[in-house]
Amino acid sequence: MRSGMHKWHLFRRVVFIVVAAVALAVGATFLPDNPYERFQLLDGTIYAKGRWIYERMHFDPRPIDVAIVGDSKTALGLSAAEIEEQLALRGKHVDVVNMSLVADGRNSQWIFVQELLKTKQPKVIVLALNDHPHPWGHDTFRYIAPASEIWREASYGLHDTKKDLMFLPFRQLELFAARLVPGLMGVDEKFDPVKYAATPRDFVRRHKNAAGEWIDMAETPSRETLLQQEREHAGEYDQHSRLPAFVRAVTDADEKVYINLIWRAARQRGIKLLFVYQPAFGRPAPIQNRAAYAAMGEIQDNTDLSDRDTLFHDWGHMNTAGAVVMSDRVAVMLAKMLP
Amino acid sequence: MLFNSFIFIFFFLPVALVGFYGMRRVGRPWAMWTLTLASLGFYAWWLPSQTWILLVSILLNFVAGHYIQQHRETKPRLSKLILILGLTGDLGALLYFKYTMFILENVKALSGADFTVPHILLPLGISFFTFQKIAYLVDCSRGEAKNTTFTEFALFASFFPQLIAGPIVHHKEIIPQFRNDIFGRLQWSNMVVGLSIFSIGLFKKTVFADAIASYFVPMYKAAAATGAVDIRSGWLIAIAWTMQVYFDFSGYSDMAIGLARMFGVRLPLNFHSPLRAASVIDYWRRWHMSLQRFILAYVFQPMALPLNRLAVRRKLKGWTGFALTVVTPSFITFFLLGVWHGAGWGYVVYGVLNGAYVSINEAYRELRRRRRRTLQRQGKPVPSEGAPTRIAHHLITLACVFTGNMFFRAESLQDGLMVFQGMWGLNGFANNPALSKFIEPGFLALLAAGGLIISFLPNTQQVMRNYRPAVNFRLWREVGAAPLSWCWRPTVPNLLYVAIALFMGVEFIQRGAEIFVYFNF
């Protein structure tokens, strides 16, 4: 090493490199992006429906009177068409959209609700409830959430903060590059009505699994198979971080934080909330924190379905027959709630 | 553990640095053992159940090397026997773990016998650490390695920056550094230089290699599924793969060199802009240099020497002598080099092709040398090499490299042949629409950017040339200067460039941390 370099206060040089790298990362989070392109980051994944949902909210002029926001259980267990039909029979002609995406995590649902409220005036938002509220965020949150929402997540100290914050500069760089050189990153600047119309959106009859295979949702396994599946998935029953309880109260609070945000936004606009409880097979568990949800909206409790093997496609999801039963029940509730 | 992972960058590396320099205050052996234990932890992170193989290899080679060092002169025969036993053990382990399945599968296919081929998991980095130990034992027997303590050897054999994929190091270039008084003393100059080299390597790996892989892999899979590669896709696949593996492995090597430097150790170079070479021989001098060095010293030279003696004894001259003394050892050396990469017919073809390339290249050189001599004898001027010839040399070299590398990538011989046929127009000239959709603007832009960097920018050690970036850099300092020059100094703009490389390198891990291609060997 040349002696000249020693004069440069080498320690400060190392610190400079590290601090500058961190500053660049923080700076990158403030790069502008296009929300439509954010949702396109889900293309080619099992969450690809996210783009269609965005397009339905922003590019389709039809209203959305009832929005169903949930996970795979609501994606497969509630049919928007069936609900519309049942409501029409009751004299309520409304547009129902199922905006559910595979996997748990209330934070992405909050992002969908925010986008929804930018362009539409729904009358009811249907939210999924499971036997155990999911303590963490959704996999898609880091892709679709605006930077401000990821900073908000960090301010709450939630479980996924670290990975979402780490991802944010990369995502913003990617979106910024897409903005600078359109077409380079494989995202579309403009809405394509043909692609939109061709996107599958109702999965109660058949849906594509992670391997890209179409699954016939009318199929019903034997009761023994369902029970076996339920036992195999017992470990997923109550997930939480391996942290002391008082820390967990902060880190594992996604459900509480985001359901409150959704509720507040809905209340401000006079939108009603309907919580639909979706049981897993063989788990007639009571709804956790029922009183809290009841204070925010109506509850459609379907615990009684948890033992009806003919309604399940697998231990966690309804089959087509189950979806019809659930949808009809929801339609009855909605008929009471809709003006 | 991957160098391009958050757990390594944000946890392992800072803890190892603090532990190493902290323990140096207690004493140098303490620091060395701290680093050895950290290195073993680094290795065990991947698959703890296989760490015993590395531990046994360290222990047995130390015992063998120690005996040879102590008794080389007093008991030469026994020392030689110990050397042979040590080498047999090392090579036997390599053969068992790497080639048993391949051999048994072929025996089964040829004989029609009905038996189950056992699944043998290849221990991580075995090809690298075995070669390092072989070199050590041979150096002991040659008297080049002396008085090595177990503390020194354990660290030498497990030092994590070079443990899994090289550079393959020699005793004589590493152990003296451990013995230096300043070893283990925190020098911020090493930190700045090491961090800068590491950042450049990380950038090459995550921004270029992994990005190219994200386009290349689906295209290659689709090509393998359709079984028909057109000429355009064939060349694109070959170029993309060569670029991916170059940025991947040279990036890994930079990271290894940078990390070692942070601990005050200089490693040897592994790449010196090989894709700017004007001949296949030159290419192999600059690609995976530490392996070439090993092969040259421990395979080529021991083979070439007796063959030269044989040629002299038999009075073989002209092309016959040339074939025996140059072509034969070159071909065998490069064949072995191909097979070293893995057990499979693709690697055999890769070795044969490179053996043939180098042999032809040697013959071409000899032909030109003779022509020059003839002209000089006749008193005629020797024409200098014109630009078209130079360009032709570069293009032919690249075409050979791209073609050979497809057999190196191929999961089966059929896959390699499929791309080969496509590249050389044997599948016709019509484009395969099933592959056209993979030729995206982003892919082409990435390859163009990579091509420009490879062609015009100085390599990492040329950028860092003021700070002796590698132990053997002096040998390469004046070789292969880049058309554009950039010499790094710790000025604010240059520190900022490093920060950008570090930031981009870390951020692009988010795309998904890919393992290094050479981890498979």
Side-chain angles (χ1 to χ4, degrees):
Chain A
M1 181 66 54
R2 290 186 175 184
S3 59
M5 194 165 161
H6 288 290
K7 295 173 191 165
W8 277 82
H9 305 290
L10 292 158
F11 171 70
R12 289 206 313 217
R13 297 292 163 266
V14 174
V15 171
F16 180 89
I17 292 171
V18 175
V19 169
V22 173
L24 284 165
V26 174
T29 66
F30 295 103
L31 287 170
D33 64 38
N34 173 346
Y36 184 36
E37 291 178 346
R38 282 205 307 268
F39 280 76
Q40 289 179 49
L41 296 178
L42 305 180
D43 286 359
T45 71
I46 53 168
Y47 312 113
K49 191 188 163 193
R51 178 189 183 141
W52 178 86
I53 295 169
Y54 185 90
E55 289 170 338
R56 176 66 180 86
M57 294 187 283
H58 289 272
F59 299 113
D60 191 328
R62 288 175 296 166
I64 297 176
D65 301 301
V66 176
I68 301 165
V69 185
D71 53 17
S72 60
K73 288 183 180 181
T74 30
L76 303 174
L78 290 179
S79 166
E82 175 72 18
I83 294 169
E84 278 178 1
E85 203 175 302
Q86 289 299 318
L87 285 170
L89 289 174
R90 289 166 176 82
K92 311 271 185 187
H93 298 278
V94 293
D95 283 281
V96 181
V97 177
N98 191 336
M99 307 192 327
S100 304
L101 272 193
V102 179
D104 293 313
R106 199 66 88 181
N107 52 4
S108 285
Q109 295 174 15
W110 161 236
I111 301 302
F112 281 124
V113 170
Q114 274 187 310
E115 288 298 329
L116 174 73
L117 300 181
K118 283 180 189 169
T119 54
K120 309 288 181 189
Q121 291 90 42
K123 296 174 182 74
V124 180
I125 296 175
V126 178
L127 292 159
L129 283 186
N130 291 322
D131 42 21
H132 272 72
H134 190 63
W136 308 319
H138 196 275
D139 289 342
T140 58
F141 184 73
R142 64 167 92 171
Y143 296 94
I144 61 172
S148 58
E149 281 299 329
I150 293 176
W151 284 114
R152 186 210 292 259
E153 182 193 33
S155 73
Y156 288 128
L158 294 170
H159 177 272
D160 293 349
T161 293
K162 189 180 71 186
K163 69 176 184 184
D164 291 344
L165 258 186
M166 292 287 279
F167 185 70
L168 182 59
F170 173 71
R171 187 195 76 178
Q172 293 306 100
L173 281 176
E174 202 176 7
L175 292 172
F176 190 65
R179 202 173 177 150
L180 287 180
V181 191
L184 188 68
M185 308 303 290
V187 291
D188 302 323
E189 274 186 303
K190 289 179 183 165
F191 169 63
D192 180 353
V194 178
K195 203 184 260 183
Y196 169 72
T199 308
R201 65 205 68 168
D202 198 334
F203 300 107
V204 298
R205 278 170 184 82
R206 61 176 204 148
H207 90 105
K208 215 181 236 182
N209 67 10
E213 298 155 341
W214 282 104
I215 305 294
D216 180 4
M217 292 305 294
E219 285 172 3
T220 307
S222 68
R223 186 175 184 81
E224 288 69 35
T225 307
L226 289 170
L227 287 169
Q228 174 67 23
Q229 288 175 354
E230 197 276 332
R231 280 193 295 272
E232 284 168 6
H233 289 84
E236 298 165 18
Y237 199 57
D238 191 12
Q239 289 180 309
H240 57 73
S241 308
R242 289 180 183 177
L243 293 167
F246 71 94
V247 183
R248 253 185 1 236
V250 176
T251 61
D252 291 14
D254 267 74
E255 172 72 12
K256 191 176 152 191
V257 166
Y258 289 104
I259 209 75
N260 268 309
L261 287 170
I262 293 171
W263 171 64
R264 272 190 223 143
R267 194 180 57 175
Q268 272 179 3
R269 290 164 180 81
I271 301 164
K272 293 173 183 168
L273 297 183
L274 169 61
F275 294 98
V276 176
Y277 177 68
Q278 325 163 99
F281 180 76
R283 288 184 192 171
I287 299 171
Q288 287 192 359
N289 305 324
R290 185 177 187 124
Y293 295 118
M296 295 180 207
E298 299 291 332
I299 295 176
Q300 165 70 60
D301 189 349
N302 295 298
T303 313
D304 59 305
L305 301 182
S306 74
D307 198 39
R308 288 175 59 182
D309 50 46
T310 53
L311 300 183
F312 282 85
H313 178 266
D314 59 63
W315 74 281
H317 301 97
M318 293 283 170
N319 61 16
T320 308
V324 171
V325 172
M326 287 259 290
S327 303
D328 291 352
R329 286 182 173 196
V330 167
V332 172
M333 283 296 285
L334 285 171
K336 291 178 197 162
M337 294 170 77
L338 286 165
Chain B
M1 203 180 293
L2 295 170
F3 292 165
N4 58 324
S5 64
F6 291 140
I7 185 86
F8 177 81
I9 295 170
F10 295 116
F11 179 73
F12 178 86
L13 181 59
V15 168
L17 283 168
V18 169
F20 174 67
Y21 286 113
M23 293 310 278
R24 180 63 173 82
R25 290 168 182 270
V26 183
R28 194 161 53 177
W30 287 88
M32 290 173 77
W33 276 109
T34 302
L35 193 48
T36 303
L37 290 175
S39 298
L40 292 172
F42 170 85
Y43 187 84
W45 185 269
W46 191 271
L47 202 59
S49 61
Q50 287 200 324
T51 313
W52 69 270
I53 298 166
L54 176 65
L55 291 171
V56 169
S57 166
I58 290 173
L59 206 61
L60 292 184
N61 279 283
F62 174 74
V63 170
H66 186 70
Y67 187 88
I68 297 166
Q69 285 182 15
Q70 298 294 311
H71 303 288
R72 193 177 70 88
E73 285 170 355
T74 52
K75 296 176 184 171
R77 281 193 169 185
L78 200 55
S79 296
K80 201 159 194 174
L81 182 67
I82 297 289
L83 170 70
I84 291 166
L85 282 175
L87 295 180
T88 309
D90 285 332
L91 286 172
L94 187 62
L95 278 173
Y96 171 75
F97 284 111
K98 200 160 180 174
Y99 301 102
T100 304
M101 281 169 62
F102 175 68
I103 292 166
L104 290 179
E105 275 163 8
N106 281 283
V107 167
K108 189 177 174 181
L110 286 173
S111 66
D114 184 26
F115 60 87
T116 310
V117 177
H119 181 73
I120 300 167
L121 204 59
L122 185 68
L124 190 63
I126 190 168
S127 306
F128 292 92
F129 68 68
T130 302
F131 272 25
Q132 183 193 13
K133 308 258 174 21
I134 289 172
Y136 172 71
L137 290 182
V138 175
D139 288 349
C140 288
S141 75
R142 289 175 178 171
E144 290 171 12
K146 287 175 186 165
N147 306 322
T148 314
T149 65
F150 186 57
T151 303
E152 289 169 347
F153 184 75
L155 180 55
F156 165 69
S158 65
F159 187 41
F160 79 87
Q162 52 81 51
L163 177 62
I164 290 168
I168 300 167
V169 292
H170 288 262
H171 173 280
K172 64 183 174 209
E173 56 198 7
I174 301 298
I175 299 283
Q177 297 188 56
F178 292 165
R179 290 176 181 166
N180 196 317
D181 271 350
I182 58 164
F183 178 63
R185 289 203 190 134
L186 180 57
Q187 289 183 289
W188 285 103
S189 55
N190 281 337
M191 283 292 163
V192 178
V193 173
L195 183 60
S196 302
I197 296 175
F198 175 81
S199 303
I200 295 171
L202 185 64
F203 182 87
K204 281 159 88 172
K205 164 66 181 159
T206 63
V207 178
F208 274 95
D210 291 353
I212 292 172
S214 70
Y215 289 106
F216 164 78
V217 172
M219 187 173 183
Y220 188 82
K221 279 185 180 165
T226 59
V229 176
D230 58 81
I231 192 163
R232 182 183 61 168
S233 305
W235 281 98
L236 196 63
I237 284 172
I239 292 168
W241 166 244
T242 299
M243 274 203 200
Q244 186 203 331
V245 77
Y246 168 71
F247 281 116
D248 187 282
F249 195 21
S250 72
Y252 173 86
S253 300
D254 288 348
M255 279 190 258
I257 290 168
L259 289 166
R261 185 63 175 264
M262 288 186 212
F263 290 92
V265 177
R266 284 187 174 91
L267 293 182
L269 293 177
N270 228 12
F271 285 84
H272 194 71
S273 304
L275 297 172
R276 284 210 294 264
S279 71
V280 175
I281 294 171
D282 193 27
Y283 166 81
W284 276 113
R285 282 177 67 228
R286 300 180 190 199
W287 179 282
H288 201 175
M289 296 149 76
S290 62
L291 177 66
Q292 309 320 313
R293 205 172 53 156
F294 178 91
I295 291 263
L296 200 71
Y298 302 104
V299 179
F300 180 86
Q301 285 169 359
M303 197 172 13
L305 206 63
L307 288 174
N308 269 289
R309 286 188 191 129
L310 183 68
V312 171
R313 266 204 314 274
R314 297 267 169 105
K315 293 176 183 167
L316 297 176
K317 284 181 184 169
W319 288 110
T320 319
F322 180 80
L324 185 68
T325 56
V326 178
V327 173
T328 306
S330 299
F331 189 85
I332 294 172
T333 300
F334 279 89
F335 170 72
L336 290 175
L337 190 135
V339 177
W340 172 86
H341 282 89
W345 288 107
Y347 294 112
V348 173
V349 175
Y350 177 63
V352 168
L353 266 180
N354 279 294
Y357 290 159
V358 172
S359 302
I360 293 166
N361 197 166
E362 290 283 11
Y364 177 67
R365 269 188 180 184
E366 181 64 15
L367 201 66
R368 281 161 58 96
R369 206 177 292 140
R370 288 178 184 195
R371 190 174 294 162
R372 251 194 327 268
R373 259 187 249 141
T374 310
L375 287 171
Q376 280 166 348
R377 269 202 302 270
Q378 292 168 350
K380 291 179 183 170
V382 180
S384 61
E385 205 173 64
T389 312
R390 280 205 306 275
I391 291 168
H393 285 166
H394 281 287
L395 291 178
I396 291 168
T397 303
L398 286 176
C400 290
V401 169
F402 292 151
T403 306
N405 281 355
M406 285 328 295
F407 288 95
F408 166 56
R409 168 63 176 84
E411 277 152 30
S412 67
L413 189 57
Q414 287 73 19
D415 282 3
L417 287 170
M418 168 194 75
V419 182
F420 176 83
Q421 287 172 342
M423 287 172 78
W424 294 102
L426 300 175
N427 290 338
F429 293 89
N431 288 333
N432 179 354
L435 299 180
S436 298
K437 65 176 180 181
F438 294 99
I439 306 174
E440 295 176 46
F443 190 17
L444 298 177
L446 201 56
L447 293 183
L452 290 172
I453 288 172
I454 288 168
S455 306
F456 297 106
L457 287 186
N459 58 43
T460 310
Q461 56 268 20
Q462 287 169 335
V463 171
M464 304 300 294
R465 65 178 172 270
N466 279 345
Y467 306 103
R468 205 184 147 209
V471 69
N472 58 344
F473 180 61
R474 286 195 183 113
L475 299 171
W476 292 91
R477 196 180 174 93
E478 307 304 327
V479 179
L484 297 175
S485 177
W486 174 32
C487 180
W488 191 87
R489 283 178 189 285
T491 58
V492 170
N494 280 337
L495 292 171
L496 206 54
Y497 296 147
V498 172
I500 291 169
L502 182 62
F503 155 67
M504 297 279 280
V506 169
E507 280 307 322
F508 273 69
I509 294 173
Q510 301 284 353
R511 198 207 317 261
E514 297 273 342
I515 67 157
F516 292 94
V517 172
Y518 267 69
F519 276 19
N520 298 318
F521 309 134

